[in-house]
């Protein structure tokens, strides 16, 4: 759509290639920190955000749940809004499972 | 000369049919054998993942050695899940295109069971309740793979 502002966040390049943990007390590259410092501001300032998950050493569910499910739990966005705003991109088959996990956490967080 | 031509006219078509049939059968059995080997490989990885995950969730981080062991196990678990994701994608692309979602969903449950909760957290405690979650999730994938192999 003309005029839409799109932001692209590459987790491995823009945040860390070894993201881990749920809270900042767990690690300096935790899910909460990613959500608060990169994801939320990007979602607030843009019409859509693409998060590239390729390239990281791997993700724990705790990181993904806090980073993405936390958006719903903290009341920033509903799962329906995120379906419109957020796009998860992965080209490497190793990361396909994380894409499914992210949407699982977003949808499950809605139920809470 | 006519007799030779007559005999070859009779023999050649069945020979071609038998040859093609043998080729198709050989392709089928090679494909099944490769699929079986791939399933065995994935089941072996799942077993290893199960052992590592169970050790991780039953290990108390009360000594520096245990903390170090936990870090190593966490990396092994994440690496194995990545590897299984790639293998299952390859397997589904090659052998079960129409049902790729089912296996992927089962693996999502495995990843959630193995690396959810307080995984890689400073607050992580021994979580024996996770034992049954991990075993059940992994067994569901193993059953599905065995079902397809057979």
């Amino acid at each position: 759509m003309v005029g839409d502002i799109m932001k692209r966040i590459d987790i491995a390049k823009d945040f860390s290639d070894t993201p881990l943990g749920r809270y900042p007390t767990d690690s300096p590259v935790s899910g909460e920190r990613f959500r608060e410092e990169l994801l939320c501001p990007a979602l607030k300032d843009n019409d859509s955000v693409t998060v590239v998950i390729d390239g990281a050493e791997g993700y724990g569910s705790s990181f993904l749940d806090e980073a993405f499910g936390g958006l719903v739990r903290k009341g920033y966005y509903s799962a329906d809004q995120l379906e419109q705003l957020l796009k998860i991109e992965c080209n490497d088959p190793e990361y396909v499972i994380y894409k499914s996990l992210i949407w699982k956490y977003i949808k499950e967080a809605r139920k809470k | 000369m006519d007799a030779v031509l007559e005999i070859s006219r009779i023999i050649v078509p069945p020979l071609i049919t038998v040859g093609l049939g043998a080729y198709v059968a050989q392709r089928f059995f090679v494909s099944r054998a490769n699929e079986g080997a791939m399933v065995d490989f994935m089941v072996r990885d799942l077993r290893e993942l199960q052992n590592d995950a169970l050790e991780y969730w039953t290990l108390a981080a009360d000594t520096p050695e245990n903390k170090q062991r936990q870090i190593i196990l966490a990396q092994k678990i994440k690496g194995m899940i990545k590897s299984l994701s790639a293998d299952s994608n390859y397997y589904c692309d090659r052998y079960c295109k129409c049902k790729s979602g089912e296996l992927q969903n089962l693996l999502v449950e495995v990843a959630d069971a193995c690396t959810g909760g307080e995984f890689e957290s400073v607050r992580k405690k021994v979580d024996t309740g996770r034992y049954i979650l991990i075993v059940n999730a992994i067994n569901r994938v193993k059953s599905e793979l065995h079902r397809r192999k057979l």
Side-chain angles (χ1 to χ4, degrees):
Chain A
M1 215 185 295
V2 179
D4 273 5
I5 309 169
M6 280 176 282
K7 167 94 175 170
R8 194 178 168 85
I9 300 172
D10 188 323
I11 296 184
K13 287 181 187 156
D14 302 330
F15 186 63
S16 169
D17 59 356
T18 53
L20 66 95
R22 190 178 287 274
Y23 306 116
T25 47
D26 300 331
S27 105
V29 284
S30 64
E32 184 180 326
R33 206 180 138 216
F34 173 73
R35 186 187 70 222
E36 296 301 325
E37 293 182 10
L38 280 178
L39 195 53
C40 270
L43 285 164
K44 197 176 156 197
D45 298 337
N46 298 277
D47 296 321
S48 73
V49 173
T50 300
V51 177
V52 183
I53 56 175
D54 291 331
E57 293 302 319
Y59 299 92
S61 299
S62 48
F63 174 89
L64 297 175
D65 183 35
E66 195 55 40
F68 296 93
L71 288 170
V72 180
R73 273 197 303 276
K74 293 277 175 186
Y76 294 126
Y77 299 94
S78 68
D80 291 335
Q81 284 174 314
L82 286 175
E83 275 180 30
Q84 305 296 317
L85 291 169
L86 186 64
K87 190 168 172 258
I88 309 297
E89 187 180 302
C90 71
N91 300 308
D92 189 331
E94 282 187 325
Y95 296 87
V96 172
I97 194 167
Y98 300 118
K99 186 177 179 178
S100 307
L101 266 174
I102 288 169
W103 286 113
K104 171 185 157 76
Y105 291 134
I106 288 174
K107 282 167 188 166
E108 282 184 356
R110 176 167 50 176
K111 293 172 191 164
K112 288 180 183 172
Chain B
M1 191 65 182
D2 283 350
V4 171
L5 277 173
E6 188 59 31
I7 289 169
S8 38
R9 204 172 294 137
I10 294 166
I11 288 175
V12 168
L15 273 180
I16 291 172
T17 309
V18 168
L20 280 174
Y23 174 74
V24 169
Q26 192 239 16
R27 292 273 299 175
F28 172 76
F29 286 114
V30 165
S31 171
R32 291 287 293 164
N34 287 342
E35 183 179 359
M38 181 90 196
V39 165
D40 291 342
F41 179 77
M42 287 169 73
V43 167
R44 202 165 52 237
D45 278 358
L46 282 165
R47 208 171 291 138
E48 199 177 319
L49 173 65
Q50 180 173 314
N51 291 339
D52 288 341
L54 294 183
E55 186 183 348
Y56 178 83
W57 287 105
T58 51
L59 190 69
D62 49 2
T63 64
E65 291 79 24
N66 281 1
K67 280 182 187 161
Q68 193 59 34
R69 179 73 186 145
Q70 273 196 350
I71 292 168
I72 292 167
L73 286 171
Q75 298 311 315
K76 279 181 75 182
I77 291 166
K78 288 199 290 188
M80 194 60 84
I81 287 169
K82 256 175 77 176
S83 162
L84 278 165
S85 174
D87 289 344
S88 72
N89 260 302
Y90 174 77
Y91 174 80
C92 289
D93 276 353
R94 197 168 166 88
Y95 300 109
C96 54
K97 272 186 183 131
C98 54
K99 290 184 176 173
S100 62
E102 281 176 30
L103 196 57
Q104 199 62 235
N105 288 342
L106 290 173
L107 275 176
V108 164
E109 295 303 322
V110 169
D112 188 32
C114 292
T115 66
E118 300 295 337
F119 185 78
E120 293 186 316
S121 168
V122 288
R123 299 186 303 179
K124 177 195 161 282
K125 293 189 179 83
V126 171
D127 187 355
T128 47
R130 202 163 272 278
Y131 190 102
I132 197 73
L133 285 176
I134 292 167
V135 170
N136 282 342
I138 288 179
N139 281 346
R140 276 195 290 272
V141 182
K142 282 203 254 181
S143 301
E144 181 65 18
L145 287 170
H146 284 138
R147 193 179 63 77
R148 288 178 191 202
K149 183 183 169 184
L150 295 173

